[in-house]
Amino acid sequence: MRIPVPISLDQQSTPFDDPQWIFEIKHDGFRALALIERGDCWFVSRKNHKFSGFQDLATALVREVNAEMAVLDGELAVPDDTGRMVFSAGGRKQAHYFAFDLLWLNGEDLRPLPLWSRKEMLKRIFSSPSTHARYVDHTQGAGTELYRLACQLDLEGIVAKRADSLYDNQTVPPPWIKIKNPTYSQSRSKGRLKRASYGTKPRTESVHARVVVYEFTKEGELIPA
């Protein structure tokens, strides 16, 4: 399988509203592509480094994703019993995968399709209920309010994406924009464990981030999942 190049994100400080854009909560974990093929699954980073220590999660994704072959884009994160994220090398066996895009499905390249279509297909391939893989929900148009809630809840921020964008790095300006919470309390915690996630010597410290898994109701309300 040829591994796609993950789409890059632009960054800005000010949220905005636009009906042609969707807005997602930015989950604080490690960006990773999940590659599923012939009963196997593995995770690679933006720089094509293979993540180690996530075999239990990889096995679970094979069961929970209804596809013979798929490439997903998402975030590796470890929630504790309260729903907060734990930056701990020792907690990788409890990791979840938060998927926000679908790049390939059963041999078909979906990157030329608009984002809204890819997300619809992504949502359909998840088992219900899914205990290890989570579909990252979104709201349309209302970026300012979602950003306000993200800051209020001490989340890392939000990601704005053009609803009709293709999955490529050639579009100018970039169709994906991260808008970070400037007062986010755990902005430096994740870096302590990057090397452990790539297979170097595990570390024992554990840092809790006040990040809860959220989803949207049919009425557009943001609630804990």
Side-chain angles (χ1 to χ4, degrees):
M1 179 189 300
R2 184 175 179 180
I3 301 174
V5 177
I7 194 169
S8 300
L9 278 73
D10 201 358
Q11 184 169 340
Q12 68 181 51
S13 58
T14 307
F16 61 94
D17 297 328
D18 191 317
Q20 297 183 6
W21 289 68
I22 66 170
F23 300 89
E24 301 168 345
I25 288 292
K26 191 176 189 305
H27 294 285
D28 197 4
F30 298 105
R31 175 90 177 269
L33 296 182
L35 299 98
I36 300 171
E37 186 174 33
R38 298 175 184 174
D40 290 325
C41 175
W42 65 101
F43 303 101
V44 296
S45 72
R46 288 174 294 180
K47 296 183 179 181
N48 201 22
H49 297 301
K50 186 175 181 179
F51 285 100
S52 65
F54 293 98
Q55 189 54 51
D56 290 349
L57 177 59
T59 301
L61 253 66
V62 172
R63 294 194 307 266
E64 295 181 5
V65 175
N66 297 315
E68 291 295 322
M69 174 273 182
V71 179
L72 289 69
D73 195 355
E75 202 87 6
L76 288 166
V78 183
D80 67 9
D81 292 339
T82 68
R84 300 189 307 171
M85 298 301 152
V86 183
F87 297 118
S88 169
R92 284 177 288 173
K93 289 188 176 181
Q94 289 77 45
H96 288 60
Y97 186 70
F98 298 88
F100 47 70
D101 210 336
L102 179 62
L103 315 187
W104 284 79
L105 179 62
N106 296 331
E108 181 182 358
D109 186 358
L110 306 182
R111 291 173 296 174
L113 299 179
L115 174 61
W116 62 265
S117 178
R118 300 196 308 271
K119 289 207 71 172
E120 284 184 354
M121 298 174 73
L122 173 64
K123 192 172 186 178
R124 288 199 297 266
I125 66 171
F126 280 123
S127 301
S128 183
S130 179
T131 57
H132 295 82
R134 298 287 187 95
Y135 168 78
V136 176
D137 210 346
H138 63 271
T139 186
Q140 188 158 355
T144 302
E145 176 62 12
L146 185 61
Y147 179 78
R148 184 190 68 78
L149 290 170
C151 293
Q152 177 182 317
L153 296 165
D154 191 28
L155 306 182
E156 188 182 12
I158 66 172
V159 179
K161 302 176 180 179
R162 280 195 62 94
D164 62 353
S165 61
L166 313 183
Y167 194 97
D168 67 58
N169 284 305
Q170 308 302 317
T171 304
V172 179
W176 290 16
I177 304 170
K178 56 184 174 183
I179 308 171
K180 289 190 173 183
N181 172 9
T183 62
Y184 178 49
S185 64
Q186 301 294 333
S187 59
R188 297 184 181 181
S189 300
K190 182 165 57 178
R192 304 180 190 182
L193 294 164
K194 279 188 176 179
R195 278 191 272 178
S197 295
Y198 293 139
T200 55
K201 186 178 179 180
R203 305 187 181 191
T204 57
E205 73 263 31
S206 169
V207 181
H208 288 74
R210 291 166 56 194
V211 182
V212 184
V213 181
Y214 290 92
E215 64 184 9
F216 295 92
T217 66
K218 291 181 179 179
E219 293 74 29
E221 181 183 0
L222 184 68
I223 61 171

